[in-house]
Amino acid sequence: MNRTLTINGSEKTFADSQWPVSVADLLGKLQIDQATVVAEIDGQIVERNRFSETPLHHGQQIELIRFVGGG
Amino acid sequence: MKTFTPPNPGAFFLYRGAEMTPPVFFELKQSVVGIAGLGGLGSNVAMALTRLKTGTLILVDFDRVEADNLNRQNYFHDQIGRFKVDATMDNLRRIYPDAELEGHKVRLTPESIVKLFARADVIAECFDRADQKQMITETVLAKMPGKVIVSVSGLAGWGGSNEIVTRQVSDRLILIGDGVSGIGPGIPLTAPRVGVAAYHQANAIVEVLMHRKMSFAARSKS
């Protein structure tokens, strides 16, 4: 059965075999550097040091705020 | 363009003795703004907020002015070698000698962010490095309930002024920038484009302080 996540407003569907087991796994699949992203799940901040231990569930709304250098 | 109606018309007044200077607003005068980093963003945000007589600025930076900062940061040749906190405070007091400023020459960590910005209404993320931007944004959102942070991502290069936007991500996070233009080989930081972002940032801070709610949500693009 396919499961979905809404990432920055866009719905993304994953086959069971592709389902990200954690926030860290999702960022790896999206090729996003963990050190430069703030993650929010259903309106709650998930701190970077908990990315690996935070599981994902079907239907969650995920906001990934990405930073690039310069200031 | 929005017309501003003062919430309390009696609460604003002109700067004493200077008819042409902008009105000073009671709400700004009562406010405290934390500025994390005094580089291209922070040194310019501090200037803009000082000109409006924003109540108190808490200025934090561990670094000294270097020659190659002068291409975009609000410092002068004779300030090379000085702590940015000291140079910024001097520059701001040349605008208004009575500006209320608090300076800290420290490298910010999650612990010191919570401590030094405890009385700030709004915090401006003015760092250079992406991981530092991440660190303060996460810290404020996770550990400082009620605080608003205005962060910046994507301002390198030149041109494309209109690609730099102000976006309300949540009721406590406002994100400025084009989201993609990081510093890299062949992509320098330039005074005009960093300035566009810095003034977006200052303008968003003023809007938060004046309204204490995100009135620009409706006209934010996404």
Side-chain angles (χ1 to χ4, degrees), chain B residues 139-201:
Chain B
T139 300
V140 172
L141 294 177
K143 303 207 186 299
M144 302 180 79
K147 305 280 188 213
V148 174
I149 182 161
V150 182
S151 298
V152 181
S153 179
L155 49 55
W158 59 89
S161 299
N162 294 345
E163 292 159 17
I164 292 179
V165 296
T166 296
R167 185 168 76 93
Q168 184 190 348
V169 177
S170 69
D171 59 354
R172 294 181 48 221
L173 172 61
I174 298 165
L175 192 61
I176 312 288
D178 66 17
V180 292
S181 302
I183 187 169
I187 312 171
L189 296 170
T190 64
R193 203 155 197 266
V194 173
V196 169
Y199 276 74
H200 263 264
Q201 199 174 14

Side-chain angles (χ1 to χ4, degrees), chain A residues 35 37-38 45 48 67, chain B residues 34-37 58 60 108-114 116-117 122-144 147-152 172-173 201:
Chain A
V37 65
V38 171
I45 291 290
R48 186 181 153 199
F67 290 97
Chain B
I35 301 183
I58 302 170
V60 189
L108 282 167
T109 61
E111 295 70 33
S112 58
I113 287 165
V114 172
L116 293 179
F117 294 136
V122 181
I123 296 160
E125 177 282 300
C126 298
F127 289 142
D128 194 31
R129 279 171 39 192
D131 63 329
Q132 296 295 295
K133 291 172 176 289
Q134 191 278 348
M135 182 272 290
I136 190 168
T137 304
E138 179 181 285
T139 300
V140 172
L141 294 177
K143 303 207 186 299
M144 302 180 79
K147 305 280 188 213
V148 174
I149 182 161
V150 182
S151 298
V152 181
R172 294 181 48 221
L173 172 61
Q201 199 174 14

Side-chain angles (χ1 to χ4, degrees), chain B residues 26 43 94 99 112 117 130 175 211 217:
Chain B
F26 180 78
S43 64
R94 287 180 67 189
S112 58
F117 294 136
L175 192 61
H211 297 270

Side-chain angles (χ1 to χ4, degrees), chain A residues 33-55:
Chain A
D33 178 1
Q34 292 188 24
T36 62
V37 65
V38 171
E40 205 178 71
I41 299 181
D42 293 336
Q44 297 294 312
I45 291 290
V46 177
E47 292 183 66
R48 186 181 153 199
N49 59 14
R50 300 196 54 219
F51 282 176
S52 301
E53 64 193 63
T54 303

